[in-house]
Amino acid sequence: MTVPEIITELKKSPLFNLSLSSKELFHSNFIAWICESYQISFGEILANHFAEKFNFSDKKIIKVQRETRNLDLTIEFNSIKIIIENKVKSVPDRQQLIDYKGKSNSNNIFVLLTIIKPCFELKDLGWELLTYRDLGTLLSDLINKITDDYHKKLILDYIYFINNLSDLLKPLSLNIEESFYDFYSSDYNLFKEIRLHDLYIKYNYAELVKEIEKYLKSNLISKEVKIGKRYSHETNKNKVVISTTLVNGKGVINIDFSDQDEIIYGIMLDGGRYNHYLYAWGEKEKEKIEIADKLQLDKKWFLFDNVNENEIYPKNGKNYNRFGKSMIYRSIKLNNDTLLSFLLERILKDVKKLTGISTNANNVYN
């Protein structure tokens, strides 16, 4: 089905419409209700699903906890617990999963239930992946064991709804050679009709981050390139770090680099803006304008290839925009007919500039 067809089907589902008020909590509560209502039959299905890697002395669910110690769902068996981190509208966060596992018995089964697959290896963190499509398959195995017609109809509607939700993102895969940097047009408006436009933006930006990482790794062999947290200076020094977030409904991507103390240079895709920035703290915060001016004079940063000066922001005599006291930046507009292939080329050129900024002790950058 096409995106409009899937959205039409979702609109027909009573459970989907009920879920819109509290998306992740709705799913956690519904799964908990199934576990509590079908402790033996669904317990057996869950245990069999994980039996290849984990031992269950008994396959009956004995207890279900919701929202306990920041854990979305805990399904307890006699000898082991399944800890579920539920992501419907959010992109999986590597550090969050590390932190959550640290709060619980490491012998438990840690499961990421998600619409959007993570951009990192879960097995390295000791987590198992369960997509919503996988959940639909498990619930389909439960249907034949249900005798209550009302329950059966509810769960069938839920399966249909989560399968459609999973399929909704399939047609959105990015084609770097043909796709444009345009995430706010017709598809965005369709997702907005069903109040999933934030999921649409997060998915597209997560996919774009993966493409940026792949492209930089293929063309930039002098530095380590990774997806991570922005401004994690101590752990990411001398590395190119790509991150993404959602700010006021707008997708943002940061590409940071620094091999110096108290300063980071970066590129930001801020909705329809492409920014060069400098982020400084400590003693460097006081010197940031001087550093930026020198970089610009030496043609090392804050200049944009193939862009006229009158197309660079800010204007009206200002040289830099500011964000808080630590960040200054200059920017250009990204038109919605910008090919992603062209954008990746620009990013690569600018990342080479970032990693080439001198750290000689005799100049102002150090």
Side-chain angles (χ1 to χ4, degrees):
M1 288 191 289
T2 64
V3 168
E5 289 171 337
I6 295 170
I7 287 175
T8 298
E9 291 303 306
L10 282 171
K11 286 179 178 179
K12 295 177 185 176
S13 165
L15 288 183
F16 170 72
N17 284 281
L18 286 171
S19 77
L20 292 176
S21 60
S22 55
K23 297 180 180 67
E24 286 176 356
L25 184 59
F26 171 87
H27 290 276
S28 296
N29 285 340
F30 194 80
I31 295 164
W33 170 75
I34 291 171
C35 291
E36 290 167 341
S37 301
Y38 297 95
Q39 294 169 286
I40 296 174
S41 49
F42 194 56
E44 184 178 8
I45 289 168
L46 282 176
N48 289 342
H49 181 76
F50 294 108
E52 189 174 320
K53 294 176 67 175
F54 301 94
N55 294 319
F56 289 79
S57 61
D58 187 271
K59 297 180 179 180
K60 179 183 177 181
I61 295 169
I62 60 173
K63 188 176 180 181
V64 181
Q65 297 180 73
R66 313 170 207 191
E67 300 294 324
T68 304
R69 293 193 304 170
N70 292 324
L71 302 172
D72 291 332
L73 194 60
T74 302
I75 304 169
E76 188 172 341
F77 293 79
N78 187 47
S79 59
I80 200 166
K81 296 177 183 178
I82 298 175
I83 311 293
I84 294 179
E85 173 61 16
N86 187 12
K87 297 290 185 186
V88 178
K89 291 178 61 179
S90 305
V91 178
D93 184 299
R94 187 177 186 276
Q95 189 58 50
Q96 185 185 56
L97 296 182
I98 293 171
D99 293 344
Y100 284 177
K101 186 170 184 183
K103 295 177 182 177
S104 187
N105 188 325
S106 60
N107 294 323
N108 294 329
I109 306 172
F110 294 86
V111 177
L112 174 65
L113 175 62
T114 184
I115 296 282
I116 302 174
K117 290 184 179 180
C119 59
F120 49 86
E121 286 293 333
L122 278 178
K123 62 182 179 182
D124 296 341
L125 308 182
W127 282 74
E128 304 296 317
L129 176 66
L130 186 72
T131 66
Y132 267 88
R133 170 66 69 179
D134 297 332
L135 176 61
T137 301
L138 297 182
L139 292 175
S140 294
D141 294 338
L142 176 66
I143 287 297
N144 292 333
K145 301 180 181 183
I146 297 174
T147 56
D148 187 302
D149 286 341
Y150 178 60
H151 285 191
K152 186 176 288 190
K153 287 175 182 176
L154 277 178
I155 295 171
L156 281 171
D157 181 32
Y158 184 70
I159 294 168
Y160 188 64
F161 145 36
I162 61 174
N163 284 345
N164 277 320
L165 198 59
S166 301
D167 289 343
L168 193 57
L169 299 177
K170 283 184 181 178
L172 302 178
S173 57
L174 299 179
N175 182 321
I176 294 303
E177 297 303 320
E178 298 179 5
S179 297
F180 296 97
Y181 183 69
D182 180 19
F183 302 141
Y184 294 90
S185 57
S186 56
D187 281 343
Y188 174 80
N189 291 326
L190 286 171
F191 275 75
K192 199 166 186 178
E193 285 181 24
I194 54 171
R195 290 157 59 185
L196 288 177
H197 46 294
D198 47 355
L199 174 65
Y200 170 81
I201 292 298
K202 287 176 183 177
Y203 174 80
N204 277 295
Y205 275 80
E207 291 298 299
L208 182 53
V209 161
K210 292 178 195 174
E211 293 294 339
I212 293 171
E213 180 194 36
K214 184 168 69 174
Y215 191 74
L216 292 180
K217 281 184 172 180
S218 299
N219 294 281
L220 189 76
I221 58 174
S222 60
K223 299 293 180 183
E224 180 183 346
V225 178
K226 59 178 284 192
I227 297 171
K229 288 273 191 183
R230 65 183 301 199
Y231 305 152
S232 300
H233 193 253
E234 295 307 314
T235 56
N236 293 327
K237 201 171 182 179
N238 206 30
K239 299 173 185 176
V240 177
V241 181
I242 312 162
S243 60
T244 184
T245 189
L246 195 70
V247 179
N248 297 324
K250 181 174 59 175
V252 176
I253 291 175
N254 285 75
I255 304 166
D256 296 328
F257 176 80
S258 178
D259 59 359
Q260 304 169 47
D261 294 329
E262 300 181 340
I263 195 165
I264 294 171
Y265 309 103
I267 300 161
M268 180 187 292
L269 304 181
D270 183 10
R273 297 275 184 172
Y274 183 92
N275 303 337
H276 285 181
Y277 66 84
L278 181 156
Y279 183 94
W281 63 98
E283 291 301 313
K284 291 279 178 69
E285 192 273 322
K286 302 170 188 175
E287 304 167 4
K288 62 181 181 294
I289 299 296
E290 181 188 0
I291 294 171
D293 286 345
K294 183 75 164 61
L295 286 168
Q296 199 174 159
L297 181 65
D298 292 347
K299 298 184 177 179
K300 292 188 173 183
W301 201 231
F302 295 108
L303 300 174
F304 301 87
D305 291 346
N306 304 314
V307 176
N308 294 325
E309 183 64 28
N310 62 4
E311 298 177 73
I312 299 175
Y313 295 83
K315 299 182 179 181
N316 302 323
K318 289 175 62 179
N319 210 12
Y320 307 102
N321 279 321
R322 297 172 182 264
F323 184 78
K325 69 176 185 177
S326 296
M327 181 188 286
I328 56 174
Y329 64 96
R330 304 183 85 208
S331 62
I332 57 174
K333 284 184 178 179
L334 281 177
N335 296 324
N336 56 15
D337 60 353
T338 301
L339 280 167
L340 291 182
S341 57
F342 175 83
L343 179 60
L344 290 182
E345 289 173 10
R346 178 178 286 280
I347 288 170
L348 175 63
K349 288 178 182 178
D350 283 344
V351 169
K352 287 180 177 179
K353 291 178 187 176
L354 283 181
T355 58
I357 292 175
S358 173
T359 57
N360 186 295
N362 295 320
N363 68 42
V364 73
Y365 316 133
N366 193 42

